[in-house]
Amino acid sequence: MSDRNVRNAGFTPSGITGGSLASSLMSQEARASGGGVPSGGPTSTLQEMGARGTTHSSGYTSSGISGGSRASDTMSKEATAHGGGVPRGGTTSTVQSI
């Protein structure tokens, strides 16, 4: 994943860009969560990366999740919370796809 991809999706240092993939994701996540965007979810994770420009060290790569990385830790926690699998539309799959 690159900082450019995250910013092109609408996650920027100045916030989420209106009308972007990021704003659509934020809206969907807020509706699914009853009105708020949860900490640690796809929107907040990607926005943090977009604001800081830290995607290069996150562990989400074009060849998959890097072992021992932040991405690996997120994937492990998410799989444990969902009985062993990583759900489609969850943090790991959404961030990895971008």
Side-chain angles (χ1 to χ4, degrees), residues 1-81:
M1 177 177 10
S2 72
D3 292 332
R4 182 176 31 144
N5 290 352
V6 172
R7 289 195 178 131
N8 286 344
F11 298 99
T12 72
S14 57
I16 291 178
T17 305
S20 66
L21 173 63
S23 68
S24 176
L25 178 63
M26 181 176 68
S27 176
Q28 290 172 19
E29 194 174 1
R31 280 194 300 270
S33 300
V37 176
S39 176
T43 301
S44 64
T45 300
L46 285 161
Q47 182 54 39
E48 177 186 352
M49 290 178 184
R52 293 185 181 178
T54 59
T55 61
H56 64 281
S57 62
S58 64
Y60 296 96
T61 73
S62 59
S63 56
I65 305 282
S66 297
S69 66
R70 176 180 176 188
S72 170
D73 182 55
T74 300
M75 183 174 69
S76 177
K77 287 177 182 174
E78 195 169 18
T80 299

